[in-house]
Each structure stands twice: as structure tokens, then as C-alpha cells.
């Protein structure tokens, strides 16, 4: 990850994963071209990164009504992949990463 990025959210969260739950550090940030979702597993040091174009990120953030905490609550680690659980209290949304 670039040092010059702007971090807009960083918090420890319990997230769903393929088998059970895990404790992760979740970070959302921006660099020049992209919105970056960075999740680190506290127990194993595994890291997951999704880079989303600014237009797609804007649509996703708007869907969550600019509530980064709600967006973080809907992340899930599925095997070696980080996904956004598209069903939430805000309805359903599909985003292609």
C-alpha cells in the first residue's frame, strides 16, 4: 500500500469468514485513483486488499449512506478472498471489484 494514501477508516472488527468468525483490522483509504479496502487478520497476519475505482467506490459508499462502520460490518473473508456481503440493513447492492 502506498504511503501517500488518505486513511478514512481504521478499526478492529469481528468479521464473518468461511468457517466462523475472526478478528481483523479493517482500513479504508484513498490514493490518487482508487478506494482501497485493506483487512488484516489479527491472529494470522494474513492480509486482504481490494482496490476499487473511485466511481464504483462512490456508488458503494453512497449505498451505505457514507457510514464506513456499516460498510466494514458487511465485509466477509471467504477463503482467500475479501468480499462485501451485499445484504445489509441498507438493502442489497452489487459491486464488481
Amino acid at each position: 500500500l502506498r504511503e501517500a494514501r488518505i486513511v478514512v477508516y481504521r478499526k478492529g472488527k469481528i468479521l464473518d469468514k468461511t468457517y466462523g468468525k475472526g478478528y481483523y483490522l479493517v482500513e479504508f483509504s484513498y490514493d490518487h485513483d482508487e478506494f482501497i479496502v485493506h483487512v488484516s487478520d489479527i491472529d494470522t497476519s494474513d492480509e486482504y486488499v481490494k482496490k476499487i475505482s473511485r466511481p464504483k467506490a462512490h456508488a458503494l459508499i453512497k449505498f451505505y449512506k457514507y457510514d464506513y462502520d456499516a460498510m466494514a460490518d458487511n465485509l466477509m473473508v471467504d477463503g482467500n478472498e475479501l468480499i462485501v456481503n451485499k445484504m445489509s440493513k441498507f438493502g442489497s447492492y452489487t459491486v464488481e471489484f
Side-chain angles (χ1 to χ4, degrees):
L1 297 173
R2 296 180 189 163
E3 292 294 321
R5 70 190 190 283
I6 298 169
V7 176
V8 295
Y9 179 90
R10 181 183 290 148
K11 190 172 183 180
K13 301 291 276 183
I14 295 173
L15 302 178
D16 290 331
K17 57 183 185 178
T18 307
Y19 301 104
K21 296 189 180 291
Y23 192 68
Y24 297 87
L25 178 62
V26 176
E27 180 182 283
F28 300 138
S29 61
Y30 286 97
D31 67 8
H32 295 292
D33 302 319
E34 299 170 312
F35 181 75
I36 302 162
V37 179
H38 180 233
V39 175
S40 301
D41 188 320
I42 300 297
D43 295 325
T44 67
S45 299
D46 290 341
E47 294 187 20
Y48 309 90
V49 177
K50 288 285 188 184
K51 295 182 178 183
I52 308 169
S53 70
R54 280 189 176 245
K56 289 180 182 179
H58 180 70
L60 181 64
I61 294 165
K62 187 176 177 182
F63 171 76
Y64 282 104
K65 298 180 179 19
Y66 302 90
D67 184 345
Y68 292 114
D69 207 40
M71 197 163 85
D73 286 341
N74 286 285
L75 294 173
M76 179 180 176
V77 176
D78 186 15
N80 287 333
E81 186 177 3
L82 177 64
I83 61 172
V84 175
N85 181 354
K86 296 167 189 75
M87 299 302 290
S88 74
K89 66 181 180 181
F90 296 99
S92 63
Y93 182 78
T94 301
V95 62
E96 295 292 328
F97 291 108

